[in-house]
Amino acid sequence: QLQLVESGGGLVQPGGSLRLSCAASGFTLDYYSIGWFRQAPGKEREGVSCISRGGGSTNYADSVKGRFTISRDNAKNTVYLQMNSLKPEDTAVYYCAALRRLFGCVLSNGYDYWGQGTQVTVSS
């Protein structure tokens, strides 16, 4: 069974940090670019960050540049999203997704596999 499982979400104060993990089971992430997306209540899902299959190419939404860092460990079949200087507007359900792609990565729809999401709440 092909599955992506996110973890690491929770409640954090503004200015705090969280690290999200996206672990794959049933398939290897070596051939996939990985994206992180988020959806806040009443808002459309938006792309946050993505990383190419080899990790050499990354993209970030303007709203998170300089605060979030995406990385991957293919040996562990896991991708991470380090989130620093969190703001209340970062509150959302965060999803990871996998797209089979040779080069680069994109922050758009069309991903092949999606996780169930993990809640991130930034509040004092």
Side-chain angles (χ1 to χ4, degrees), residues 82-101:
Q82 178 67 43
M83 306 187 296
N84 299 328
S85 302
L86 283 161
K87 305 175 181 180
E89 50 264 43
D90 294 317
T91 295
V93 177
Y94 283 71
Y95 302 89
C96 66
L99 173 64
R100 193 173 181 109
R101 184 181 175 97

Side-chain angles (χ1 to χ4, degrees), residues 8 11-20 67 82-86:
L11 173 64
V12 64
Q13 291 186 342
S17 298
L18 283 174
R19 188 176 81 155
L20 305 183
R67 300 188 298 123
Q82 178 67 43
M83 306 187 296
N84 299 328
S85 302
L86 283 161

Side-chain angles (χ1 to χ4, degrees), residues 44-84:
E44 292 189 355
R45 185 173 62 197
E46 64 170 338
V48 174
S49 181
C50 65
I51 188 167
S52 61
R53 54 184 287 196
S57 177
T58 58
N59 286 316
Y60 296 92
D62 288 343
S63 58
V64 307
K65 278 181 183 176
R67 300 188 298 123
F68 290 11
T69 303
I70 192 170
S71 62
R72 66 190 297 158
D73 185 341
N74 285 352
K76 294 183 178 179
N77 224 21
T78 302
V79 174
Y80 305 97
L81 185 67
Q82 178 67 43
M83 306 187 296
N84 299 328

